[in-house]
Amino acid sequence: MKKMMVLIPLLAAAMASFAQNPDSATLRRLSDDILWNGVCYDNLRVLTKTIGHRLSGSPAADKAVAWGKKAMEAAGADRVWLQPVDVPLWIRGKETLKVQLDGHLQPIPMLSLGNTEGTGGKTLEREIVCVPDLAAFEKLEEDQVRDKIIFFNYKFRQDIVNTFEGYGDAVKYRWVALNKAAGKHAAAVIIRSVSTGADDVPHTGASRYDDGVAHIPAVAIGNFSADKLAAACAKGQPKAQLVSNCSMKGTKRSYNVIGELKGATLPNEIIVVGGHLDSWDVGEGAHDDGAGCVQSIEVLRALKASGKRPRRTIRAVLFMNEENGAKGGVAYADSARTAGEKHILAMESDAGGFSPRGIGLEMPEPLKQKIRSWAPLLLPYGVYDFTQEEGGIDIGPLRKQGVPLAGLLPDSQRYFDLHHSRNDVFEAISHRELKLGACTMMAIVWLADQYL
């Protein structure tokens, strides 16, 4: 306690000295405005509670586009426009899964994986073969797999502290496992959800079929159900009954929503902030990625409210179709290349509305060092990690044009409890954490505008 009493005055003196830095003072004013007057939390409430989940191509996604345009205009953007994007149209439909537990077929929660084909509404009843991982599956002969339902019981690794690294390890079961099973003529696939949650909530997410393989059904189940099914498989070879109606239905015209503040002295140099407007068709898409959308709009609003026009053009983009196609990011990059636009930085928020902890940097080393020199200015807001190389799916196509990328890195521990599930709702968002993320994005945009 005595040590703390000595340290507190020293820390206070250091912060007072730091606050005299002109850049620190400017960032403080901008952040104070967001924390006191920011509308991102209210915007998110409207998006999630009046529109809800919004899979690209759905009527709800159309409503979200109209909402985004209105929100950009209310933020004071000089110009707002809609950029056409043709998106895949995938329909889930009704679906059920029953598995043999304790000798009886029992319904369990499930979600078909996005972009997959279902059973056409017919009942598919087959024996289940359980494998712990892909390595074990590869050892199975084709006659052990043929016409069976393969259950990939791979657990999200709890020992990986950075859950995005854990996600990278586990998500292959949403991509690779389906095609491996189809290659050996399996009838369908069940995966343990790519989830850190201690619950029985299934998580969906995009999958895809390799060329030349059968389009077999693929579903995810929650962690508790996966434990029960694994136990049943240890005692024998249980059966499952799957009925699903999901299917691809071609493409549909949709839009990115774009708003900008024109730069005062270098209007042809552009800094982009963005998030993706679409979500999966469960939950409300609050963390993934309503948060990133409203934070990006908040950057425009706060800059406009400051009364000082930026040197460069600041553009906010609400990308469409990140979840099951990434067509919005491609359309934006193609448009930028065709127009000969000069982007000096693109930043994305697509890792949840939790407390900001860092900024991912995907750019040449000299520019990384430049941005890392700003770290002391971000430390008072809890942002300290500038070591990771991370941008974002939607801004990724800009990297091919040489645009430096940055990604907001919030605390990751709870994200994959909620991600792509019915639990991703407005109530899971803290208004302070959401606003601090917007403050961090604002800080990077303002510093980039001044010094890049």
Side-chain angles (χ1 to χ4, degrees):
M1 187 65 178
K2 289 182 179 180
K3 289 182 179 180
M4 286 298 294
M5 294 300 292
V6 172
L7 284 173
I8 289 172
L10 292 175
L11 289 170
M15 291 300 291
S17 175
F18 184 71
Q20 295 174 10
N21 180 300
D23 291 334
S24 177
T26 298
L27 295 183
R28 180 62 183 268
R29 286 195 296 273
L30 291 167
S31 295
D32 283 355
D33 176 58
I34 291 173
L35 292 170
W36 278 108
N37 305 313
V39 299
C40 52
Y41 189 67
D42 292 331
N43 277 341
L44 186 60
R45 179 188 291 110
V46 175
L47 175 62
T48 56
K49 292 304 181 185
T50 67
I51 298 174
H53 56 70
R54 45 202 180 274
L55 187 63
S56 59
S58 68
D62 296 339
K63 293 177 182 178
V65 168
W67 166 88
K69 183 175 185 294
K70 184 177 179 180
M72 291 277 200
E73 292 167 345
D78 297 331
R79 185 165 74 106
V80 181
W81 70 101
L82 304 182
Q83 183 177 72
V85 182
D86 290 327
V87 302
L89 181 59
W90 180 75
I91 305 297
R92 180 178 300 279
K94 294 182 179 179
E95 52 189 17
T96 59
L97 176 65
K98 296 180 180 179
V99 298
Q100 212 167 10
L101 302 174
D102 300 323
H104 303 285
L105 284 167
Q106 301 178 26
I108 62 173
M110 55 77 76
L111 287 171
S112 292
L113 298 182
N115 292 1
T116 62
E117 298 292 325
T119 67
K122 299 177 181 178
T123 299
L124 176 70
E125 182 173 331
R126 297 290 189 277
E127 290 183 339
I128 299 171
V129 174
C130 176
V131 292
D133 53 35
L134 282 165
F137 175 80
E138 294 288 5
K139 295 177 182 178
L140 297 179
E141 298 296 331
E142 186 173 310
D143 61 0
Q144 296 175 283
V145 175
R146 183 184 295 274
D147 211 29
K148 302 289 197 303
I149 296 176
I150 309 303
F151 170 40
F152 288 92
N153 185 34
Y154 188 80
K155 296 181 179 181
F156 198 117
R157 285 184 55 184
Q158 299 296 319
D159 58 321
I160 300 178
V161 175
N162 182 330
T163 62
F164 279 87
E165 292 180 13
Y167 180 71
D169 170 71
V171 75
K172 57 180 174 284
Y173 288 87
R174 217 177 63 210
W175 289 85
V176 179
L178 169 64
N179 292 294
K180 292 288 187 180
K184 291 186 179 182
H185 306 290
V189 163
I190 299 171
I191 69 167
R192 178 187 284 265
S193 285
V194 186
S195 162
T196 50
D199 54 37
D200 202 32
V201 178
H203 295 230
T204 188
S207 191
R208 62 179 175 82
Y209 298 105
D210 289 343
D211 293 339
V213 303
H215 290 192
I216 63 175
V219 307
I221 60 176
N223 281 324
F224 291 173
S225 287
D227 290 340
K228 292 176 183 178
L229 182 54
C233 288
K235 298 176 182 177
Q237 199 163 42
K239 290 184 177 181
Q241 286 184 351
L242 173 63
V243 180
S244 55
N245 288 274
C246 58
S247 182
M248 296 296 294
K249 302 292 184 182
T251 61
K252 180 181 175 180
R253 173 60 55 89
S254 190
Y255 301 90
N256 293 332
V257 184
I258 307 173
E260 69 177 21
L261 296 175
K262 202 72 172 177
T265 58
L266 296 168
N268 293 326
E269 295 188 4
I270 300 167
I271 298 172
V272 163
V273 290
H276 66 84
L277 189 52
D278 62 306
S279 78
W280 281 107
D281 57 331
V282 290
E284 295 171 353
H287 280 286
D288 187 22
D289 183 31
C293 290
V294 299
Q295 286 169 333
S296 299
I297 297 170
E298 187 68 26
V299 170
L300 289 190
R301 186 210 63 80
L303 276 174
K304 185 78 170 187
S306 74
K308 186 176 181 180
R309 184 167 290 273
R311 298 168 64 234
R312 296 172 163 107
T313 293
I314 312 300
R315 186 176 288 175
V317 183
L318 312 185
F319 296 95
M320 182 57 72
N321 184 234
E322 187 271 349
E323 292 294 3
N324 68 326
K327 300 298 185 183
V330 172
Y332 181 83
D334 286 347
S335 174
R337 183 180 60 250
T338 300
E341 293 179 335
K342 182 180 180 181
H343 287 70
I344 67 164
L345 182 70
M347 183 176 186
E348 185 165 354
S349 171
D350 185 19
F354 298 107
S355 293
R357 294 289 181 250
I359 304 294
L361 303 175
E362 192 174 341
M363 58 190 65
E365 191 60 33
L367 193 53
K368 286 183 181 179
Q369 294 301 325
K370 177 72 172 179
I371 293 178
R372 285 170 181 160
S373 72
W374 303 339
L377 295 165
L378 276 294
L379 190 57
Y381 304 95
V383 178
Y384 59 86
D385 184 1
F386 291 79
T387 63
Q388 299 184 50
E389 187 161 326
E390 179 63 43
I393 297 296
D394 295 300
I395 58 177
L398 288 171
R399 184 74 177 105
K400 298 176 182 178
Q401 300 176 26
V403 179
L405 308 185
L408 182 67
L409 302 178
D411 186 284
S412 72
Q413 297 311 312
R414 289 174 287 163
Y415 185 66
F416 293 105
D417 289 7
L418 310 173
H419 172 260
H420 295 178
S421 81
R422 67 169 185 255
N423 284 345
D424 186 9
V425 295
F426 177 74
E427 288 78 8
I429 297 278
S430 158
H431 79 97
R432 285 189 56 80
E433 291 180 296
L434 182 72
K435 290 173 182 175
L436 282 169
C439 292
T440 303
M441 295 174 73
M442 165 63 75
I444 295 298
V445 167
W446 186 85
L447 291 165
D449 181 53
Q450 298 297 309
Y451 298 118
L452 288 190

